[in-house]
Structures are given as C-alpha cells and as structure tokens.
C-alpha cells in the first residue's frame, strides 16, 4: 500500500458463513456491523475439540446472524471451546456472553478489561453524571450540545452486550496459552483501553492485535471524566515502544481491516502522527484555547454532533499528555470553561 504495508490477501475477505485460513491453525471470520467501521474480524484459533474465537461483535441481530451463518457453514459441527476478548468495547465483547451460554464455554479477558466492563454495564442510572457535564462544559461545549447529550440518556453499554457470566478466566501479560498444539503469548497494551490483550504466536509469526494496531485508522485514545487525571496517550505511546520490540515480519491480524505485514512501519506511523499533533497543539497554545478550539489541529475532518464526544476525549488526552510533562497549564474561568496555554 501507499503506507508501506503489505496485504497478503488483498481485497479477499471472508463472506457470510465462510472462514479463510490465514496461518497454521488460524482462521479469519468477518462479522458485519453498522457504522463507519462496517465489521469486526473474529480470529478463530484451532483448539482441542473445537475453535476459540478472538472477539465477537455487538449484541445486534446483524452480528448474531453472522455467527449463525458460520455455524451453518464453515463452523458446522465445530464447538466453541473458549472465547477470548481483547478488550471491553462492545464490538469486541457484545456476543461473548451469548457464545459462552450457547457452548458452555469460558470467557478469557484481562482483569482490568473484565472489571471495567462489569462496572460500566452495571451503571444503569438514567441521568448523565455531573462529572461528565462538568467535563463537557469545561471543554467548551455550548448549552445545546450539553442538553443533547443529557437527553440521550446514560448507561447504554448494557444494551450492546449480552449478559456476561458471573466468572471469567484472567489473562495476564506474558502468560502462555495453549490452543491445540500451538502456544500464544499475551502482550498487553494500554491507552485505547485499560489493559488490552494482544496474542502472539512466535513460532508461526502471527500477532492478533485487536484495536492496539490497526492498518488504516488510529484507535481512539481518550481521556474520560471517570479517571480525569489519567494519561492515556502516554500509555498508548509507551505501548507502541513495547510492541516495537516484537519481530517486524509478523502477520498482524487486526480487529478492523485486513491482515497485513509491516508492524514496525505501522507503529512508527501511529507514533509519529500523535507526536506531530502534540507539536501542533503546543505551538498553537501560545494563545489560550479551549478543548474544542483544538479540533482543527488534531483532526482532518469537520467534527459534527456525532463525533463531538470522541473528539473531545481525544483532544483532552493530548492536552493531558502535555500538561503531565509540564508543557501546558489549565485555568478555569468563564463559568467553568477550561483554557489551556503553554
């Protein structure tokens, strides 16, 4: 590609009910979803007595129908032995509970991802938390945008995730898992989510990267009002440095997009893009700015109502990174508005 990556399968992607063998004991299934992403990849690892899928899709008929087509197609008479979830986002865990119930199979996740998912699903309050409103006002949202957010409700994650079982099996960084005769090592990253698990098969040269490394888009790295003093972008960049220590010739199997070669090229591009944005923001902050004033420095497209929340979180993460390192300070004035300056 123009970005220096190689896609061994080109535009060939799995169709409904179909899997593609992409490595020794690794099959590729694609679960369609609505929205701009359009799909999530599920990587099926041959296991003793069946297969273990990595990531599942959302609690939507479109996603469950895709699994039913697989069970009538290439996975006919093939049990699910275990369900691995790279992280907590609904497109990755939404049908984990459904598959676990259907096949009496355990769910494997890191502790931070499992516990965070459980508390987010359990938060069923109807009103938006005050901390969220403070963050929105501080970031420069106008009253109309805040009211639109408040009126849309809260606690929506539970609607996108099938009920999870009470227990799970914990994944830890460096842990070796055996799927059939093959060994997979857990490699944990952070920034996009608290404790994101990637799976590395060193013998066959395969990395299942989830959302930690995507070929064409950069994963959202956001600050949240639930942990306002965190430094997610710092964690993200540190995770890139760590993944750079892996072999450069791995076949990378991402959650979205196609499997590719060029891990180090992609990691360097992701790192450099964020560093360039940080430089642009720092230079612009010789004049005080609100979070919303930084959108044009960070994003190449117009930010509308649908993208306002994610754009705010990502802009806050960049400002937090600069503040954590002493480059930027924040003042509160104008009725709760935050102004950032070098």
């Amino acid at each position: 590609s123009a970005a220096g990556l190689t896609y061994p399968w080109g535009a060939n992607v799995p169709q409904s009910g179909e899997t593609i063998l992409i490595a020794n004991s690794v099959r590729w299934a694609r679960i369609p979803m609505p929205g701009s992403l359009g799909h999530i990849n599920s990587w099926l690892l041959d296991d003793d007595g069946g297969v273990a899928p990595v990531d599942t899709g959302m609690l939507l008929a479109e996603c469950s129908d895709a699994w039913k087509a697989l069970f009538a197609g290439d996975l006919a008479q093939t049990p699910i032995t275990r369900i691995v979830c790279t992280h907590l986002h609904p497109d990755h865990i939404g049908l984990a509970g459904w598959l676990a119930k259907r096949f009496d199979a355990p769910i494997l996740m890191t502790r931070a991802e499992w516990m965070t998912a459980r508390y987010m699903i359990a938060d069923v309050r109807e009103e938006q938390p005050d901390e969220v409103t403070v963050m929105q006002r501080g970031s420069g949202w106008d009253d109309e945008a805040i009211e639109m957010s408040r009126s849309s409700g809260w606690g929506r994650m539970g609607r996108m995730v099938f009920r999870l079982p009470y227990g799970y099996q914990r994944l830890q960084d460096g842990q070796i898992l055996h799927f059939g005769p093959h060994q997979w090592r857990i490699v944990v990253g952070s920034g996009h989510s608290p404790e994101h698990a990637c799976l590395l098969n060193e013998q066959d040269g395969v990395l299942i990267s989830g959302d930690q490394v995507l070929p064409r888009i950069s994963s959202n790295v956001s600050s949240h009002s639930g942990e306002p003093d965190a430094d997610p972008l710092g964690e993200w960049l540190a995770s890139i440095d760590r993944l750079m220590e892996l072999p450069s010739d791995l076949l990378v199997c991402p959650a979205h997009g196609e499997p590719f070669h060029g891990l180090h090229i992609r990691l360097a591009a992701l790192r450099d893009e964020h560093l360039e944005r940080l430089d642009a923001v720092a230079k612009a902050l010789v004049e005080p700015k609100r979070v919303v004033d930084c959108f044009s420095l960070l994003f190449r497209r117009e930010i509308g109502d649908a993208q306002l929340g994610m754009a705010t979180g990502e802009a806050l993460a960049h400002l937090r990174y600069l503040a954590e390192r002493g480059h930027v300070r924040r003042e509160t004035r104008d009725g709760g508005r935050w102004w950032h300056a070098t």
Side-chain angles (χ1 to χ4, degrees):
S1 73
L5 306 183
T6 302
Y7 296 93
W9 283 266
N12 185 29
V13 300
Q15 303 303 308
S16 177
E18 177 186 76
T19 64
I20 295 176
L21 183 68
I22 59 104
N24 192 12
S25 81
V26 183
R27 285 185 274 175
W28 174 20
R30 177 159 282 191
I31 310 300
M33 297 190 312
S36 59
L37 292 174
H39 70 271
I40 183 168
N41 298 319
S42 185
W43 305 101
L44 308 170
L45 310 182
D46 286 350
D47 200 8
D48 294 330
V51 297
V54 181
D55 293 335
T56 69
M58 289 183 180
L59 178 56
L60 294 170
E62 187 174 0
C63 296
S64 59
D65 286 348
W67 280 105
K68 292 172 184 176
L70 286 167
F71 298 144
D74 281 2
L75 295 186
Q77 308 304 315
T78 304
I80 299 294
T81 58
R82 292 176 276 183
I83 302 108
V84 181
C85 297
T86 58
H87 63 295
L88 65 91
H89 294 150
D91 53 332
H92 297 259
I93 69 167
L95 289 175
W98 179 71
L99 291 171
K101 182 177 181 180
R102 179 171 178 143
F103 291 95
D104 191 25
I107 296 173
L108 284 65
M109 293 177 67
T110 62
R111 179 181 286 171
E113 299 292 334
W114 175 264
M115 298 301 291
T116 306
R118 293 305 296 253
Y119 100 71
M120 291 179 68
I121 292 168
D123 186 359
V124 294
R125 75 186 89 183
E126 294 183 1
E127 292 187 359
Q128 177 172 290
D130 291 341
E131 295 91 339
V132 175
T133 304
V134 168
M135 183 197 74
Q136 293 169 344
R137 181 170 290 109
S139 299
W141 289 29
D142 59 30
D143 291 341
E144 182 180 355
I146 293 173
E147 182 54 36
M148 185 181 300
S149 174
R150 289 167 63 94
S151 63
S152 66
W154 189 255
R156 293 188 292 272
M157 182 164 171
R159 305 172 205 167
M160 298 181 282
V161 177
F162 191 93
R163 183 173 181 176
L164 294 171
Y166 181 71
Y168 79 113
Q169 294 182 6
R170 182 185 177 189
L171 300 178
Q172 300 183 68
D173 185 54
Q175 178 182 359
I176 302 297
L177 297 175
H178 292 85
F179 292 96
H182 302 279
Q183 290 188 356
W184 293 81
R185 175 162 62 92
I186 301 301
V187 180
V188 168
S190 188
H192 175 63
S193 64
E195 197 180 5
H196 183 297
C198 302
L199 287 80
L200 173 65
N201 181 331
E202 296 179 85
Q203 181 175 350
D204 293 331
V206 180
L207 177 70
I208 297 177
S209 64
D211 280 354
Q212 200 69 33
V213 189
L214 299 174
R216 293 186 178 89
I217 60 174
S218 177
S219 302
N220 182 265
V221 179
S222 286
S223 291
H224 301 283
S225 54
E227 194 179 1
D229 295 329
D231 180 21
L233 184 53
E235 295 177 23
W236 176 258
L237 293 171
S239 295
I240 286 178
D241 289 342
R242 187 165 182 227
L243 289 168
M244 277 285 198
E245 298 173 2
L246 300 180
S248 63
D249 59 349
L250 295 172
L251 176 66
V252 183
C253 300
H256 309 284
E258 292 71 51
F260 68 94
H261 288 288
L263 174 64
H264 288 191
I265 293 171
R266 185 58 184 148
L267 289 170
L270 291 168
R271 177 198 62 205
D272 293 348
E273 182 179 20
H274 282 294
L275 294 177
E276 289 169 4
R277 291 174 178 179
L278 286 164
D279 284 344
V281 171
K283 290 176 182 177
L285 290 181
V286 292
E287 297 291 337
K289 295 186 185 301
R290 303 165 302 168
V291 173
V292 296
D293 299 328
C294 297
F295 288 171
S296 62
L297 304 168
L298 296 170
F299 308 111
R300 297 185 181 92
R301 58 174 177 169
E302 192 74 21
I303 300 300
D305 293 338
Q307 300 86 34
L308 183 56
M310 293 184 73
T312 298
E314 187 136 3
L316 277 168
H318 284 75
L319 291 164
R320 180 66 191 165
Y321 180 94
L322 293 169
E324 187 73 13
R325 287 149 187 82
H327 301 306
V328 168
R329 66 176 183 272
R330 187 180 83 188
E331 294 182 357
T332 302
R333 56 180 193 256
D334 303 332
R337 307 292 183 186
W338 299 336
W339 291 86
H340 303 261
T342 52

